[in-house]
Amino acid sequence: MVVQRSVVQSRVFGELEVSEENIIFFEEGIPAFENLKKFVIIKEDESPFHWLQSIEDKDIAFVIINPFEIKPDYEFDLPDEVVSKLEIDSPQDVAVFCIVVIPEDVKQTRVNLKAPIIINVNKRKGMQYLLDDERYPLRYYLFENSNSNVQK
């Protein structure tokens, strides 16, 4: 089996060689970036943070984190429509990430727990899904004393 590789430009990482089997397809894009469909996850060594890099636009890369690393009791149910759209057959197919916002004042770093990125790792399909769950805010602050994790 021959694995196709592509060279991708990234504003953050420069030139990257990406295997086609690592590209995740977002049929609907990501809200506000609906025109971008192909992304790859770039893992940082020894860091809980990763990057979701657009294949189509070198300037678009989101910092992401596995939400269970910062909030072990994070849980939600996916509706059948999402399970079907992503062709999920079992929980082992699923990886969950949340987008991190790192402002100039790093103490204000926050995670969007309200709209996780759901990825079927076997089918390489992803989507951002807005939870209908008041337990999780759009802005979950990573550091204590940073606005006490209230939703805004």
Side-chain angles (χ1 to χ4, degrees):
M1 180 168 120
V2 176
V3 176
Q4 293 286 101
R5 294 193 163 286
S6 302
V7 174
V8 175
Q9 294 297 321
S10 166
R11 179 180 53 80
V12 177
F13 299 100
E15 195 171 275
L16 297 169
E17 189 173 308
V18 175
S19 169
E20 292 290 323
E21 65 188 17
N22 291 331
I23 295 174
I24 302 159
F25 184 72
F26 285 73
E27 184 177 323
E28 300 168 5
I30 291 175
F33 300 92
E34 289 86 358
N35 61 319
L36 302 176
K37 309 291 186 187
K38 295 178 180 179
F39 290 83
V40 65
I41 294 175
I42 301 167
K43 298 184 185 221
E44 294 278 357
D45 293 333
E46 305 301 317
S47 170
F49 300 103
H50 309 301
W51 292 83
L52 186 63
Q53 172 68 55
S54 169
I55 298 295
E56 299 146 311
D57 186 334
K58 69 180 176 101
D59 292 326
I60 304 301
F62 302 98
V63 178
I64 58 174
I65 192 168
N66 177 332
F68 303 102
E69 292 189 27
I70 58 167
K71 191 155 180 46
D73 62 344
Y74 188 67
E75 67 176 6
F76 57 88
D77 292 322
L78 286 176
D80 291 342
E81 132 194 0
V82 172
V83 171
S84 175
K85 192 175 283 189
L86 295 179
E87 299 180 36
I88 296 169
D89 295 323
S90 76
Q92 290 73 28
D93 293 346
V94 179
V96 178
F97 295 96
C98 290
I99 294 177
V100 179
V101 175
I102 304 173
E104 207 170 291
D105 178 0
V106 178
K107 293 179 191 161
Q108 297 297 311
T109 297
R110 56 198 180 269
V111 178
N112 179 349
L113 295 178
K114 187 78 168 174
I117 303 281
I118 313 298
I119 297 172
N120 179 332
V121 295
N122 293 323
K123 304 278 181 158
R124 298 184 326 267
K125 291 179 139 196
M127 72 181 300
Q128 186 172 26
Y129 177 69
L130 182 63
L131 299 177
D132 184 20
D133 190 328
E134 295 307 314
R135 295 177 295 170
Y136 304 121
L138 284 169
R139 295 181 179 138
Y140 178 84
Y141 290 87
L142 284 185
F143 302 104
E144 288 196 40
N145 304 324
S146 296
N147 301 322
S148 67
N149 284 323
V150 292
Q151 183 167 354
K152 293 191 177 186

